[in-house]
Amino acid sequence: RRSQHSHSGVTSAVRPVLSQCWRERVMASTLRCRGPEGRQRARSQIIVMGMSRSGSSLTTSIIAAMLRNGSRSDETAWRGLGRALPSDSANPGGYYEREDVVRLNYATISSVTGAGWTSFRPDHLLRPAALNASWRAPSGRAKFEASARAILGDMDHHAPWVLKDVRFARTLPVWRPLLRRPLCVIPYRHPGEVASSSRLRSVRLWEEYVMSALTAAREARCPTMLVSFRRWLAPVSASDQARELHSFLHCGEVSGLVSPLEATTTERLLAAVRPSARRNTQSD
C-alpha cells in the first residue's frame, strides 16, 4: 500500500535538501583512494546520523559486520562494553545504539536549547556549530565532556568502531573536538515514507534533521557518504550499495575492514528488513 503522503505534502524546502543530498552523494562516490605513500594515520571512528526511520539501524548493522576484526563479535564494534538501547515494537531487530550515547545526546540538546530533540532553533539549523556556544549552564559542557570521554575511551578499546544516534545530526559539533578524524554516514529515505513510518508524522522534522546532518558533517570536515534506504530493499541494489559503502570506508582509510564482505553476511542483515518497510515506499 502506498503511503498517503505525496510530493504535494512536501514543503518547498525539501527540494534544495534533496539536491544537497545528491551533491554530497556524488562527492562521496568520487572519493579517491590514496596510495600507501599518501595515507595518513588510519581512521577508526564512524558516526551514523540523520533522520529516524531511514534505515540507520540496518546501515549500522552492516557497517559493524564490515568492522569485525578476528574473532570479536559485531556487537563490540557498535557498543563496546556499553549497554545496548533495548529493542521495542517500533524496531524489534534492535537500534544498534548505546543507551548512554542516546541519553547523553537527549540531555545535551535539552541542556543547550531548553527544548526537546524535535525543536530546532533557526541558528542551530543553519549553523549546527552554534550549539557549542549555547550552553545554558556553565557546568554543562564539562559534564558532557566527562561523559563523552568515558564513552569514547571504551569504544577506542574496540576500534575500529561505529556509533549511531540520529541526534548526532544536532550534537556532532560538541562531540567533534573529542573525535579523531571521523567518517560520517547519513542514511536517507523519501520524506513521505519517513512521515508515514514515524509516530511524529512530520516532513518538517525530516527536512531539519537531514539538513542539520549534512551541514554538521561539512562543518566538522567529516568525509560523508549518504546511504539510500530504498537501495537496501532489492538484492542487486543492496549488494551494490554494500560494496560502495565498503569502498567508502576503505578509501576513508578505516583500519580492520573485513574484505571482501561476505555475500551471506549482507543477505543475513538485509533479511531483517521487515515486509512493512518494503511495502511503504514511494516513487522518487
Side-chain angles (χ1 to χ4, degrees), residues 219-237:
E219 288 183 344
R221 297 184 179 276
C222 186
T224 303
M225 179 174 178
L226 276 98
V227 174
S228 166
F229 176 82
R230 176 183 292 269
R231 294 184 70 198
W232 290 135
L233 303 184
V236 174
S237 59

Side-chain angles (χ1 to χ4, degrees), residues 124-147:
H124 290 170
L125 179 60
L126 297 175
R127 186 171 176 270
L131 197 73
N132 268 319
S134 304
W135 291 94
R136 302 172 76 216
S139 61
R141 181 189 293 276
K143 290 180 179 179
F144 164 81
E145 289 187 354
S147 297

Side-chain angles (χ1 to χ4, degrees), residues 38-115:
R39 288 178 175 261
Q40 301 181 41
R41 186 173 41 140
R43 298 179 195 265
S44 61
Q45 303 176 337
I46 303 163
I47 300 295
V48 177
M49 59 183 175
M51 178 58 188
S52 61
R53 314 304 298 170
S54 298
S56 56
S57 299
L58 174 62
T59 299
T60 301
S61 71
I62 292 173
I63 293 174
M66 293 178 180
L67 299 180
R68 188 175 57 224
N69 271 333
S71 61
R72 82 169 184 178
S73 69
D74 296 358
E75 282 198 8
T76 59
W78 60 266
R79 69 174 182 86
L81 297 181
R83 181 183 176 188
L85 187 72
S87 59
D88 55 25
S89 58
N91 201 341
Y95 286 93
Y96 289 83
E97 295 173 342
R98 282 181 62 129
E99 190 172 55
D100 51 3
V101 169
V102 175
R103 287 182 176 178
L104 182 57
N105 279 336
Y106 271 123
T108 299
I109 293 170
S110 176
S111 175
V112 174
T113 69

Side-chain angles (χ1 to χ4, degrees), residues 244-267:
E244 291 167 10
L245 181 55
H246 188 281
S247 177
F248 171 73
L249 299 178
H250 171 69
C251 292
E253 303 176 9
V254 173
S255 61
L257 287 175
V258 174
S259 182
L261 185 66
E262 297 178 1
T264 53
T265 300
T266 303
E267 291 169 3

